[in-house]
Each structure stands twice: as C-alpha cells, then as structure tokens.
C-alpha cells in the first residue's frame, strides 16, 4: 500500500496519516511514514515528544549526505540526477510505536522552482519508497505535488486529499486532482474532516463525486486535546480511530 495524503495546513491530514500508519503497524505490517510537509509535525502525531522531534535533522538539511550522494559541492556544479538512496530509510528513519518515520524536509526555492541537489535527493527518496513492495508507505504531503515526479506518482496506490466542509477546501481537492492528472494519475480520493452535523455531510456529498469519497471524520475535541497535551491522536481518541479504521477498510478493499 502506497498512499500520499495531502491538503492545506490545519485540515487534519497529519491526524489521518499518523493514525493510518499506527493501524497498519498494529497489524504487524512494516510501515514507513514520510513527512514531506514543510510544517513537519508527523512525529508528534505518531507519539514523539517535542524534544525528540526537535532533534531530528530533515534529509534536505543533511548537506554532507546530499553532497555525498549527488556529487555536488562548491567546486562541482554538476551532480547526479538519480543518486543511490536505497539505504536512506533504514539508516535515517526514526522508530516510533512500530512506525518508521522519515522526515524529508523541504527545499527553499524562492518561488521559482529548481533542479538543485536537495530537490533531486528528495525526489529520488520518494521514488525509492514507492518500490518497497511489501511495505506500507504513507506520505504526509503539503497541498501541492511538487515533490512527486511522473514516475513516482505512477507507483502510488492512492492520493488522498483531506478537506473540511467548505468551498475553499473543495477547491483544493479539485486542484490536486488536476495536478495528479498532469502526472497521469486518475485516482484521487477525499476524506472529509471536522464534520459537525448532517448539513456538513450533505455539503460534502454534493461537492465530491461519490466514487472519490472515502469517508468522514467528525469534529472531535479529543483530537484537539491530544494536540494540546502533545500526545498522539491514536492514544487519545477511540472515536477518531474507529472512523479512520473504517476508511482504512475501504482502502484495503480497493
């Protein structure tokens, strides 16, 4: 199972990513969770302390490693576009509650885009993750799909957009679906979070094609309590776990 979970900040994609990861880990599966969001907090949601999260150096910031694998340095402006990164997950992933966490980081490109060693490194790692046949790979992405190339995206089983019951959030889903189509991917699904009542459910059902809707996660103060206490939602909210378990069942069935 290879899943990329995306959506704007604050919609709950990290809650979904972390809970799915721990559900699969509890089944005895090998689970690798990649934090590809610049606002990296997947570690906290998996159960790490703030101090442990702060001690993790993102792959994109490991300058010596990037130079070693790509061959780029201040004297050499030419570098490998397909560096060997097959050993990176085992060497640099952090084990937490049965999940291997790999914090990717981001690349500052000044809004212009780049083909720089750090960006090439991240794309190579993401591509490598999609070839781990027997593993569950969950990528906690930002709203865009800039890190994914055509080959990487083609190996994903699902793109999941986490949205809230609102027009701007629905537009994010449509944008992601368009970007995914540009990469040759037609399977983009939706999880609607922070659902308060039947009106919210009706809005989502009217806005999202039925075949794209994976399920609902209802508004739950326990998730906010978990965040406030620096705990994993998995250890704090049985109701949310059960709703996400039902979403997982749909993923497994498909």
């Amino acid at each position: 199972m290879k899943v990329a979970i995306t959506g704007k900040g604050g919609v709950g994609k990290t809650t979904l990513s972390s809970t799915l990861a721990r559900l699969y880990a509890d089944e005895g599966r090998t689970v690798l969770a990649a934090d590809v969001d610049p606002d990296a907090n997947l570690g906290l949601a998996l159960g790490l302390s703030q101090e442990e999260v702060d001690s993790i150096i993102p792959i994109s910031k490991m300058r010596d490693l990037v130079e070693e694998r790509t061959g780029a340095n201040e004297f050499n402006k030419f570098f490998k576009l397909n560096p060997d990164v097959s050993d990176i997950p085992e060497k640099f992933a952090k084990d937490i509650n049965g999940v291997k966490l790999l914090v990717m980081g981001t690349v500052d490109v000044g809004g212009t885009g780049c083909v720089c060693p750090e960006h090439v490194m991240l794309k190579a790692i993401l591509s490598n993750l999609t070839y781990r046949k027997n593993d569950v790979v969950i990528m906690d992405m930002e709203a865009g799909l800039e890190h994914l190339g055509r080959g990487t995206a083609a190996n994903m089983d699902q793109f999941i957009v986490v949205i809230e019951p609102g027009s701007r959030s629905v537009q994010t889903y449509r944008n992601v679906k368009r970007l995914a189509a540009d990469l040759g991917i037609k399977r983009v699904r939706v999880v609607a979070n922070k659902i308060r009542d039947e009106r919210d459910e009706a809005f989502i059902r009217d806005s999202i094609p039925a075949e794209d809707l994976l399920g609902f996660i209802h508004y739950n103060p326990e998730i906010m309590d978990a965040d406030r206490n620096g705990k994993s939602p998995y250890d704090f909210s049985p109701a949310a776990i059960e709703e996400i378990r039902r979403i997982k069942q749909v993923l497994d069935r498909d």
Side-chain angles (χ1 to χ4, degrees), residues 3-18 20 139-143 159-166 168-174 176 188-195 204 208 212-217 244 247:
V3 180
I5 299 176
T6 186
K8 287 190 176 297
V11 296
K13 57 184 170 50
T14 299
T15 295
L16 177 63
S17 299
S18 62
L20 280 176
M139 300 181 186
D140 186 2
M141 313 288 292
E142 55 185 324
F159 283 86
I160 301 176
V161 187
V162 181
I163 68 171
E164 297 174 342
R168 288 189 295 273
S169 207
V170 170
Q171 185 60 42
T172 297
Y173 147 73
R174 291 171 179 161
V176 170
V188 177
R189 314 290 286 280
V190 168
V191 168
N193 189 27
K194 302 182 183 178
I195 301 299
I204 294 297
I208 304 298
D212 286 355
L213 183 58
L214 277 173
F216 298 105
I217 303 172
I244 295 173
I247 291 167

Side-chain angles (χ1 to χ4, degrees), residues 192-248:
N193 189 27
K194 302 182 183 178
I195 301 299
R196 298 165 298 178
D197 51 34
E198 293 181 355
R199 290 183 302 171
D200 283 350
E201 288 193 20
F203 172 83
I204 294 297
R205 294 188 192 280
D206 288 342
S207 304
I208 304 298
E211 63 271 19
D212 286 355
L213 183 58
L214 277 173
F216 298 105
I217 303 172
H218 287 79
Y219 178 82
N220 189 336
E222 292 176 340
I223 295 177
M224 299 174 64
D225 291 341
D227 188 30
R228 186 166 55 247
N229 287 278
K231 303 294 184 182
S232 169
Y234 194 82
D235 300 320
F236 229 79
S237 180
I241 291 173
E242 190 53 39
E243 290 188 318
I244 295 173
R245 192 189 307 276
R246 289 197 289 269
I247 291 167
K248 174 183 172 295

Side-chain angles (χ1 to χ4, degrees), residues 80-149:
K80 299 175 184 177
L81 294 179
N82 189 27
D84 180 12
V85 296
S86 58
D87 62 332
I88 296 296
E90 279 67 35
K91 284 188 175 180
F92 295 99
K94 177 86 171 178
D95 291 322
I96 174 67
N97 289 317
V99 178
K100 296 180 180 297
L101 170 67
L102 190 64
V103 179
M104 304 291 286
T106 188
V107 179
D108 299 323
V109 297
T112 60
C114 76
V115 180
C116 53
E118 295 84 358
H119 188 66
V120 166
M121 184 87 162
L122 294 188
K123 289 187 71 171
I125 295 171
L126 291 178
S127 181
N128 178 265
L129 294 181
T130 67
Y131 286 97
R132 299 172 70 95
K133 289 185 178 180
N134 299 319
D135 297 350
V136 175
V137 177
I138 298 174
M139 300 181 186
D140 186 2
M141 313 288 292
E142 55 185 324
L145 301 178
E146 288 81 4
H147 282 308
L148 296 181

